[in-house]
């Protein structure tokens, strides 16, 4: 497909995992792509720019540099995010502020810096990486779920604010994805094999979501071929949100 030919895209958190898969796919489908990350080590055709989504000056400098390099911005993928474990009492105030700063306020910082460029685009689209945790209660994910619930609400509010400016805003809600962050969680688990099996078992398809599958959903939402799709949360979760299957009998 070449539906992104001539379009300019920025992907935050784009040096690994879902962000990298999305950036590579957009580039393969014709986009010029700049990746933002703390360590933006990417290979051509991607270009990396160092950016910290918790620092407004860093974000504004990175967005200006990307727009100058690309000649504008048509697509913004707000993918940068961090995880958190535990129930509501497990994390102190500092950790709550840190996670919300990255996962929620980070989206606001990057988006508001990119808006002047998106408003000039004839195919403007924003895609936020949300999570199944925004809509399904998962154990030991209180802080993470709160942050992603905010991302879902923010996505809908942004869609309402900017639809008449020609800017579409959507989000993807991955289930548990096979990403470096999940890999690190498994590495420190008492029994990594059993923990991975449990994560796979709670998804009706019986396996983790792949980064490429989420990237394809991001590309669908960002594509000009989806010009009437806005204010949509697209689940990529193996049926975890909506399916209620009987327990497997062994």
């Amino acid at each position: 497909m070449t539906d992104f030919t001539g379009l300019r895209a920025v992907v935050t958190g784009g040096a690994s995992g879902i962000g990298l898969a999305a950036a590579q796919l957009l580039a393969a489908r014709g986009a010029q792509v700049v990746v933002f990350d703390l360590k933006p080590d990417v290979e051509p055709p991607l270009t990396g720019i160092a950016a910290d989504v918790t620092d407004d000056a860093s974000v504004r400098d990175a967005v200006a540099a990307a727009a100058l390099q690309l000649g504008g911005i048509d697509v913004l993928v707000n993918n940068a995010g961090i995880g958190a474990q535990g129930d509501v009492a497990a994390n102190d105030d500092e950790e709550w502020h840190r996670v919300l700063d990255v996962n929620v306020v980070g989206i606001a910082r990057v988006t508001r810096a990119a808006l002047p460029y998106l408003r000039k685009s004839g195919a403007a689209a924003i895609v936020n990486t949300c999570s199944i945790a925004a809509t399904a209660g998962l154990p030991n994910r209180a802080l993470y779920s709160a942050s992603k619930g905010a991302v879902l609400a923010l996505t809908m509010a942004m869609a309402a604010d900017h639809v008449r400016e020609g800017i579409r805003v959507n989000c993807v809600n991955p289930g548990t994805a096979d990403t470096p962050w999940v890999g690190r969680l498994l590495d420190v688990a008492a029994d990594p094999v059993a923990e991975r099996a449990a994560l796979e078992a709670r998804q009706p398809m019986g396996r983790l979501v792949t980064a490429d599958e989420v990237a394809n959903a991001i590309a669908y939402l960002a594509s000009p071929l989806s010009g009437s799709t806005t204010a949509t949360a697209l689940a990529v979760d193996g049926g975890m949100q909506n399916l209620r299957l009987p327990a497997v009998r062994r």
Side-chain angles (χ1 to χ4, degrees):
M1 294 182 67
T2 56
D3 47 330
F4 287 91
T5 298
L7 299 184
R8 294 83 41 103
V10 170
V11 180
T12 72
S16 66
I18 290 169
L20 179 58
Q24 291 173 330
L25 181 58
L26 296 180
R29 287 165 61 168
Q32 300 178 68
V33 183
V34 168
V35 162
F36 291 176
D37 214 303
L38 293 174
K39 295 181 179 179
D41 300 323
V42 292
E43 297 180 358
L46 306 180
T47 301
I49 294 178
D52 179 354
V53 299
T54 68
D55 184 297
D56 188 57
S58 172
V59 166
R60 291 187 180 278
D61 287 347
V63 168
L68 180 63
Q69 176 179 317
L70 298 172
I73 298 173
D74 303 290
V75 173
L76 172 61
V77 179
N78 284 308
N79 173 74
I82 56 177
Q85 296 188 75
D87 64 15
V88 72
N91 295 286
D92 61 18
D93 283 4
E94 182 178 358
E95 185 66 359
W96 274 84
H97 286 297
R98 187 178 79 93
V99 173
L100 292 170
D101 197 18
V102 175
N103 291 3
V104 185
V105 187
I107 289 177
R109 291 188 185 99
V110 178
T111 301
R112 71 189 178 198
L115 273 175
Y117 305 101
L118 292 167
R119 287 179 174 128
K120 297 176 183 178
S121 171
I126 300 170
V127 183
N128 300 324
T129 300
C130 191
S131 171
I132 187 65
T135 56
L138 304 180
N140 293 312
R141 291 293 186 274
L143 170 51
Y144 182 73
S145 297
S147 74
K148 291 303 183 177
V151 171
L152 179 60
L154 178 59
T155 298
M156 300 306 152
M158 287 167 52
D161 285 337
H162 303 295
V163 64
R164 291 182 177 171
E165 295 181 305
I167 302 172
R168 299 184 299 108
V169 187
N170 297 284
C171 66
V172 289
N173 287 7
T176 304
D178 199 354
T179 61
W181 180 68
V182 170
R184 289 191 291 271
L185 291 182
L186 294 174
D187 288 342
V188 299
D191 187 340
V193 173
E195 183 66 20
R196 185 181 184 91
L199 292 177
E200 292 173 341
R202 77 180 184 184
Q203 299 197 163
M205 290 182 69
R207 63 171 176 82
L208 300 185
V209 175
T210 71
D212 286 338
E213 288 168 335
V214 183
N216 273 285
I218 290 170
Y220 165 75
L221 293 172
S223 172
L225 298 179
S226 303
S228 290
T229 303
T230 194
T232 292
L234 179 55
V236 188
D237 62 0
M240 187 176 174
Q241 171 60 42
N242 293 322
L243 299 184
R244 300 293 183 270
L245 304 184
V248 176
R249 296 182 178 180
R250 299 184 184 278

